[in-house]
Amino acid sequence: MAAPEGQWVLMATGRSPTNIAVIKYWGKRDEALILPVNDSISVTLDPGHLSATTTVAVSPSFPSDRMWLNGKEISLSGGRFQSCLREIRKRACEFEDEKKGIKIKKEDWEKLHVHIASYNNFPTAAGLASSAAGFACLVFTLGKLMNVKEDYGELSSIARQGSGSACRSLYGGFVKWCMGKRDDGSDSLAVQLADETHWNDLVIIIAVVSSKQKETSSTSGMRDTVETSPLLQYRAQTVVPSRVLKMEEAIKNQDFESFAKLTCADSNQFHAVCLDTSPPIFYMNDTSHRIISLVEKWNQSEGTPQVAYTFDAGPNAVLIARNRKTAAVLLQKLLYYFPPQDKDLSSYLVGDKSILGDAGLHSIEDVEALPAPPEMKIQDQKFKGDVSYFICSRLGTGPKVVADENQALIDSVTGLPKGV
Ligand SMILES: Nc1ncnc2c1ncn2[C@@H]1O[C@H](COP(=O)(O)OP(=O)(O)OP(=O)(O)O)[C@@H](O)[C@H]1O
Ligand SMILES: C[C@@](O)(CCOP(=O)(O)OP(=O)(O)O)CC(=O)O
């Protein structure tokens, strides 16, 4: 039997990962379309540890578009949300569910309003790329709901208009955002370089140095850099093009030495262009610098890189270890300098907790008994409390549909977020 006019709610739920750039995007050549001044390359993180989950619903009974983020209603009036909604609606296709008596013609989608509920399983706006996971998830899930037929490349160029780095979250593994040349941005999209199984030795440890909202957003920071930094031009035109080629080679050949050197150099140059901005932008803090120094000294003492570090627009360190054994040793060194403030080790390391066992760290006493890293000059000083917590993760897949209706964030009867 067909549902009575206006009574039905049609929903889709998706989950999308975050990504961390190893060759950074910093600077736009077009602010409205979000077109970058250089290519960038990222690794997609395991959505089990860091992801956005979004449910989108349509119903003839909804009087307006509405969105709830982490349980709080937010405005959809911003240009970025509007661009994503407009571009997806344009590509919506006819949909029919005979059993539920729902038929939506292509032209009907323009008139139907959406309700969107999204939840991040990690801190929002804390330099952990919530906007990347969030906009990728929004575009992916709207695309599923509206029966959009376009490929992921095209979806990535829509997600890009929500937040530049979001276009790279449409794929798992290693992803390149090709800056493109056209003025309309149609060739500025993401491509997958290799999937998450290609180089699955890599282990990612994130030191969450501060989960407070940052002072300078990426958007305004990079605008100031474009306007004032002479170094950015050199970076975008000369350094990045050759670095991108070398990075693609390193990924293809699983050449950790090159991968690590390029990753660290690019993170450092990104922060250098931030410093070259007027007024200068400081995203890293003393803790970030201590972590860089720990990794650099260790890499130097081993004669070849064991770990790569990279920092986005915030003080959190993203550390990529060449394998699990190295990650376990890295964790010992990190916990020696940054022990937890309270006795609870299991909430101090989230994500893949089994790395604690590999590092022989079963209790706080094991942490207290850790030897000082021999390669470090400062051995007797510890920085308890300077790291909020660690996340252990790995490379992960791109967006996926969440088929289980129980996991939907919107109630299929009321059309409102569950619990509202
Ligand atoms: N799950 C989500 N769905 C839709 N939009 C989201 C979601 N999560 C975050 N956003 C959007 O992204 C904004 C936060 O982006 P912002 O760039 O400030 O922080 P971040 O992405 O966590 O950090 P960074 O980009 O520096 O790594 C939010 O205000 C919201 O507009
Ligand atoms: C430092 C970065 O994380 C910058 C990310 O910037 P955003 O994608 O958040 O900026 P907008 O396009 O203005 O939304 C580097 C990167 O992810 O490549």
Side-chain angles (χ1 to χ4, degrees):
M1 201 188 78
E5 183 68 22
Q7 292 298 296
W8 52 266
V9 176
L10 183 68
M11 301 198 307
T13 301
R15 179 166 299 141
S16 290
T18 59
N19 69 79
I20 175 81
V22 290
I23 302 290
K24 303 290 183 194
Y25 146 55
W26 195 253
K28 298 180 181 72
R29 64 178 200 282
D30 185 311
E31 285 270 343
L33 288 170
I34 312 198
L35 301 176
V37 294
N38 56 253
D39 292 345
S40 53
I41 295 179
S42 58
V43 294
T44 297
L45 302 185
D46 185 343
H49 304 143
L50 293 140
S51 60
T53 301
T54 302
T55 299
V56 284
V58 275
S59 170
S61 66
F62 295 167
S64 61
D65 292 338
R66 293 175 74 183
M67 170 154 189
W68 293 261
L69 176 56
N70 298 325
K72 265 181 57 190
E73 183 155 12
I74 62 163
S75 165
L76 277 174
S77 64
R80 290 166 170 225
F81 283 116
Q82 288 302 315
S83 296
C84 292
L85 283 167
R86 185 190 62 240
E87 293 303 315
I88 288 286
R89 276 190 171 119
K90 254 197 237 168
R91 293 162 176 84
C93 292
E94 182 161 311
F95 171 87
E96 183 161 18
D97 183 333
E98 279 189 6
K99 258 195 20 254
K100 289 189 183 154
I102 303 172
K103 183 167 180 171
I104 306 171
K105 290 204 261 12
K106 191 172 168 51
E107 60 274 18
D108 292 342
W109 284 110
E110 297 283 346
K111 293 171 244 151
L112 283 168
H113 289 293
V114 291
H115 280 183
I116 304 162
S118 189
Y119 166 77
N120 299 326
N121 65 357
F122 63 96
T124 300
L128 289 172
S130 66
S131 56
F135 279 103
C137 203
L138 178 65
V139 167
F140 171 80
T141 314
L142 278 171
K144 291 288 170 202
L145 179 78
M146 298 191 177
N147 205 11
V148 167
K149 303 282 194 310
E150 270 72 9
D151 62 22
Y152 282 21
E154 177 104 11
L155 291 183
S156 81
S157 83
I158 301 174
R160 188 201 75 226
Q161 297 173 56
S163 178
S165 53
C167 74
R168 297 186 311 239
S169 276
L170 259 302
Y171 294 102
F174 298 87
V175 186
K176 176 175 161 185
W177 174 9
C178 308
M179 63 179 284
K181 288 198 188 81
R182 292 189 207 132
D183 287 343
D184 67 358
S186 55
D187 57 351
S188 187
L189 40 81
V191 293
Q192 187 178 51
L193 297 175
D195 74 16
E196 62 281 3
T197 59
H198 164 68
W199 194 356
N200 55 13
D201 286 349
L202 302 178
V203 177
I204 295 162
I205 294 183
I206 303 173
V208 180
V209 171
S210 158
S211 55
K212 284 195 275 146
Q213 301 218 341
K214 57 184 180 259
E215 261 174 51
T216 311
S217 73
S218 305
T219 307
S220 74
M222 69 175 85
R223 187 181 303 133
D224 292 348
T225 303
V226 168
E227 281 168 10
T228 63
S229 164
L231 182 56
L232 182 71
Q233 295 223 0
Y234 173 67
R235 165 173 168 75
Q237 286 163 17
T238 311
V239 179
V240 174
S242 78
R243 223 172 240 175
V244 161
L245 294 175
K246 287 183 197 144
M247 182 59 94
E248 285 186 62
E249 267 311 288
I251 292 168
K252 194 168 94 195
N253 301 326
Q254 299 178 23
D255 172 355
F256 189 78
E257 181 169 349
S258 302
F259 175 81
K261 283 183 176 163
L262 291 163
T263 299
C264 298
D266 203 69
S267 173
N268 290 332
Q269 189 176 69
F270 153 51
H271 290 277
V273 300
C274 290
L275 272 184
D276 193 44
T277 300
S278 174
I281 310 166
F282 310 102
Y283 284 124
M284 294 194 288
N285 64 16
D286 287 354
T287 309
S288 320
H289 295 150
R290 274 190 194 106
I291 294 173
I292 291 183
S293 162
L294 187 153
V295 173
E296 286 284 355
K297 295 236 166 59
W298 183 29
N299 284 346
Q300 213 178 0
S301 74
E302 295 286 338
T304 179
Q306 304 300 306
V307 174
Y309 57 80
T310 186
F311 295 78
D312 272 352
N316 305 330
V318 179
L319 305 166
I320 308 174
R322 66 189 315 153
N323 56 39
R324 252 188 107 75
K325 213 170 137 205
T326 326
V329 180
L330 170 67
L331 193 63
Q332 292 172 339
K333 292 178 192 287
L334 287 167
L335 289 192
Y336 173 82
Y337 284 112
F338 305 103
Q341 209 152 25
D342 54 35
K343 299 262 165 199
D344 184 15
L345 197 52
S346 77
S347 61
Y348 195 50
L349 186 131
V350 301
D352 178 5
K353 289 174 188 285
S354 66
I355 193 78
L356 282 170
D358 289 30
L361 302 171
H362 303 283
S363 66
I364 198 72
E365 286 73 29
D366 294 332
V367 173
E368 281 159 3
L370 280 168
E375 66 278 8
M376 298 298 286
K377 277 203 196 91
I378 304 174
Q379 301 220 326
D380 49 0
Q381 213 183 345
K382 295 194 177 185
F383 304 94
K384 195 184 259 187
D386 286 3
V387 169
S388 307
Y389 61 98
F390 291 96
I391 306 169
C392 180
S393 192
R394 59 183 164 242
L395 265 66
T397 62
K400 292 262 187 291
V401 169
V402 178
D404 177 4
E405 281 232 355
N406 291 322
Q407 292 190 47
L409 301 174
I410 290 180
D411 185 303
S412 62
V413 176
T414 63
L416 291 169
K418 286 179 179 168
V420 166

